[in-house]
């Protein structure tokens, strides 16, 4: 019998957040071990639940979710997103400029499939959220990673972006607030990126899924609110701000120079039609979520659970000899660095695997986020404070004895 093989399109596609080490964690759990999963931003696992009023509205209206709806999504949900655009200063967005999807992930893949021809380039931050790199690769494009500077609070290096623009560059990705670093970009930085997009006719793809998860009075500025002569695709959803990761409910907003993108938007519309429609029950949650009480504000304020957990994990990481970490101003992650003089790591995947096997703590290696070095880790700070204190203490003990 002949063996069956995966498509060659997948040869350079990876998503190590759920990769080899995660499979080993699953094996350990099947053997009866308890694994603390600090590898993925999944709020429900740590009792950060969807607000009750959102759940109630979905249940109450479930009878309306039995059939297909318009491929772009429910009118009421898209109307709520349109009003959100108005509140956030993203001008001239109509109902038809909004696409609802099965999470932002689906919409990112659809965008890449509609936009890219073989060899077209997309500028993606390093470190990145790896789905962006995978989606570009799967769509026959070429991901080109630009440097984000740890010494400058993980802000993108504008000079590096400029050097990497070629005649094949189609778009630039911004992840703001950033996963995995927690950086929140200034208006000045965003305007510099927009100017590069304007000069080189690039599309700006702005992933803003954490736009309400902000600390220390930090303000988030929607990229698309700063210009109307550049084409913007803005991505957001319920997964993080409303702790509804399992609902798979996201949206994409097309704004700015829409008149230059009639054909591209038609391509996205075609792909949207092909999947018939996004998950309808989850769409029922959008209007209530955006229009209701924003409980996330309590969680990120001083004294709030996410605020305290961030501070605890950040402080304890920096207390480990040889470890430093920029304090995140947004999102749910820390991206600490291991001093290469103290920790000459040759294989960071082996490091996180050894940590898993010895301490039953699951992290993600920095190289999974397309950075060049092997000296970083991503840590999720969703567990309660006492759990984090225990985990950071065990991580410190593990590193103090670690010799690869």
């Amino acid at each position: 019998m002949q063996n069956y093989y995966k498509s060659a399109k997948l040869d350079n596609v990876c998503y190590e957040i759920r990769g080899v080490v995660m499979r080993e964690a699953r094996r350990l759990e099947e053997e009866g071990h308890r694994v603390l999963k600090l590898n993925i931003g999944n709020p429900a696992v740590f009792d950060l639940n969807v607000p009750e009023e959102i759940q109630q509205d979905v249940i109450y209206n479930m009878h309306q979710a039995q059939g297909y709806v318009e491929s772009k999504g429910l009118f009421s949900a898209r109307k709520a997103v349109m009003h959100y655009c108005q509140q956030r200063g993203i001008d001239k967005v109509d109902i038809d400029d909004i696409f609802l999807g099965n999470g932002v992930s689906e919409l990112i893949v659809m965008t890449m499939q509609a936009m890219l021809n073989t060899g077209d380039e997309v500028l993606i931050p390093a470190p990145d959220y790896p789905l962006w790199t995978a989606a570009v690769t799967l769509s026959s494009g070429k991901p080109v990673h630009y440097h984000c500077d740890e010494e400058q609070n993980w802000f993108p290096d504008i000079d590096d972006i400029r050097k990497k623009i070629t005649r094949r560059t189609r778009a630039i990705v911004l992840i703001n607030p950033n996963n995995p670093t927690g950086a929140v970009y200034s208006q000045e930085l965003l305007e510099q990126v927009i100017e590069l997009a304007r000069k080189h006719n690039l599309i700006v793809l702005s992933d803003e899924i954490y736009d309400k998860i902000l600390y220390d009075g930090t303000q988030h500025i929607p990229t698309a609110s700063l210009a109307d002569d550049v084409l913007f695709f803005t991505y957001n959803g319920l997964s993080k701000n409303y702790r509804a990761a399992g609902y798979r409910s996201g949206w994409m907003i097309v704004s700015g120079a829409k008149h230059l993108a009639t054909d591209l938007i038609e391509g996205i519309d075609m792909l949207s039609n092909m999947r018939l429609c996004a998950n309808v029950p989850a769409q029922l949650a959008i209007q209530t979520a955006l229009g209701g009480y924003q409980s996330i504000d309590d969680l990120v304020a001083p004294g709030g659970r996410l605020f305290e957990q961030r501070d605890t994990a950040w402080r304890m990481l920096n207390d480990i000899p040889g470890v430093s970490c920029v304090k995140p101003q947004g999102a749910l992650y820390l991206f600490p660095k291991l001093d290469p003089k103290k920790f000459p790591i040759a294989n960071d995947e082996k490091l996180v695997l050894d940590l898993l096997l010895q301490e039953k703590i699951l992290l993600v290696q920095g190289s999974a986020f397309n950075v060049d070095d092997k000296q970083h880790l991503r840590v999720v700070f969703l567990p309660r404070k006492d759990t984090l204190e225990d985990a950071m203490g065990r991580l410190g003990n593990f590193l103090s004895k670690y010799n690869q």
Side-chain angles (χ1 to χ4, degrees):
M1 293 288 289
Q2 181 180 345
N3 290 331
Y4 299 97
Y5 298 98
K6 69 179 183 292
S7 165
K9 294 192 298 290
L10 294 171
D11 285 350
N12 295 307
V13 173
C14 63
Y15 187 75
E16 288 302 317
I17 293 173
R18 292 183 181 268
V20 174
V21 182
M22 178 64 178
R23 290 194 289 273
E24 183 64 18
R26 192 176 299 119
R27 184 191 67 79
L28 289 171
E29 288 181 320
E30 289 170 354
E31 292 180 352
H33 297 281
R34 294 185 64 182
V35 175
L36 179 60
K37 295 178 181 175
L38 305 184
N39 66 312
I40 191 167
N42 190 10
V45 173
F46 301 105
D47 299 319
L48 285 158
N49 299 315
V50 177
E52 184 69 23
E53 64 171 338
I54 295 176
Q55 296 189 53
Q56 290 294 335
D57 264 27
V58 172
I59 293 167
Y60 181 80
N61 292 292
M62 186 64 76
H63 66 283
Q64 299 179 35
Q66 299 176 71
Y68 299 130
V69 299
E70 185 179 347
S71 64
K72 287 186 177 180
L74 283 173
F75 180 88
S76 60
R78 287 188 290 143
K79 188 80 169 180
V81 174
M82 189 183 80
H83 288 158
Y84 188 67
C85 291
Q86 293 168 355
Q87 295 166 14
R88 301 286 281 146
I90 305 175
D91 295 333
K92 300 177 182 176
V93 173
D94 299 321
I95 288 288
D96 285 339
D97 299 324
I98 297 164
F99 292 79
L100 303 188
N102 296 302
V104 165
S105 301
E106 180 189 48
L107 295 165
I108 290 171
V109 173
M110 283 172 51
T111 304
M112 296 302 105
Q113 290 177 333
M115 185 192 339
L116 299 178
N117 291 311
T118 301
D120 283 348
E121 297 175 358
V122 177
L123 290 161
I124 300 173
D128 70 342
Y129 176 58
L131 176 73
W132 280 101
T133 296
V136 171
T137 303
L138 188 60
S139 302
S140 73
K142 178 183 177 182
V144 177
H145 293 99
Y146 63 83
H147 176 64
C148 294
D149 189 350
E150 190 168 10
E151 300 299 319
Q152 299 296 325
N153 295 315
W154 287 114
F155 273 30
D157 184 333
I158 293 294
D159 289 336
D160 191 56
I161 295 173
R162 186 180 294 111
K163 292 174 186 175
K164 290 175 176 172
I165 296 173
T166 74
R167 61 182 182 82
R168 298 303 304 268
T169 308
R170 294 292 309 280
I172 180 167
V173 174
L174 290 171
I175 304 173
N176 178 39
N178 188 263
N179 174 11
T181 67
V184 181
Y185 301 150
S186 66
Q187 180 169 331
E188 179 184 9
L189 184 280
L190 295 174
E191 288 176 341
Q192 289 177 311
V193 172
I194 291 169
E195 182 55 36
L196 286 178
R198 181 180 292 122
K199 181 178 180 180
H200 296 279
N201 298 313
L202 305 181
I203 304 168
V204 177
L205 309 172
S206 195
D207 183 344
E208 302 183 5
I209 192 74
Y210 300 95
D211 69 336
K212 291 181 179 291
I213 304 181
L214 306 164
Y215 309 99
D216 307 324
T218 302
Q219 299 295 311
H220 173 265
I221 300 169
T223 313
S225 69
L226 298 176
D228 60 9
D229 61 330
V230 170
L231 181 63
F232 296 97
F233 288 8
T234 303
Y235 304 84
N236 211 324
L238 302 185
S239 293
K240 310 301 182 180
N241 293 333
Y242 301 95
R243 286 83 70 200
Y247 281 31
R248 309 312 302 131
S249 187
W251 54 85
M252 178 178 70
I253 302 155
V254 184
S255 65
K258 295 177 288 187
H259 62 286
L260 301 177
T262 303
D263 191 63
L264 172 56
I265 294 169
E266 183 180 321
I268 296 172
D269 204 22
M270 185 185 305
L271 293 171
S272 178
N273 289 332
M274 286 171 62
R275 53 92 206 245
L276 297 177
C277 68
N279 170 15
V280 181
Q283 294 181 45
L284 296 169
I286 293 174
Q287 186 176 28
T288 300
L290 292 181
Y293 180 71
Q294 303 300 300
S295 56
I296 188 64
D297 294 341
D298 300 328
L299 292 169
V300 300
R305 181 176 160 184
L306 288 177
F307 181 96
E308 295 300 322
Q309 290 165 191
R310 177 207 60 158
D311 275 9
T312 296
W314 173 75
R315 173 179 49 79
M316 293 188 71
L317 282 169
N318 281 294
D319 284 345
I320 299 172
V323 177
S324 61
C325 184
V326 176
K327 195 172 191 178
Q329 296 303 300
L332 304 170
Y333 316 98
L334 301 119
F335 203 61
K337 180 179 181 179
L338 308 183
D339 185 343
K341 295 178 181 178
K342 186 173 180 61
F343 303 104
I345 306 299
N347 184 336
D348 57 351
E349 183 178 64
K350 184 178 185 303
L351 171 69
V352 298
L353 180 58
D354 290 342
L355 174 66
L356 172 66
L357 294 173
Q358 293 181 38
E359 296 292 341
K360 308 303 183 290
I361 296 173
L362 180 59
L363 303 181
V364 184
Q365 66 274 20
S367 61
F369 302 93
N370 291 292
V371 291
D372 292 332
D373 64 69
K374 306 292 184 183
Q375 302 302 134
H376 288 87
L377 303 167
R378 191 186 72 165
V379 180
V380 173
F381 57 81
L382 284 171
R384 293 188 182 276
K385 186 176 175 180
D386 57 344
T387 302
L388 276 175
E389 288 174 337
D390 176 67
M392 295 303 99
R394 288 157 59 197
L395 174 61
N397 290 334
F398 168 82
L399 289 174
S400 70
K401 299 175 287 188
Y402 191 71
N403 185 17
Q404 194 171 95

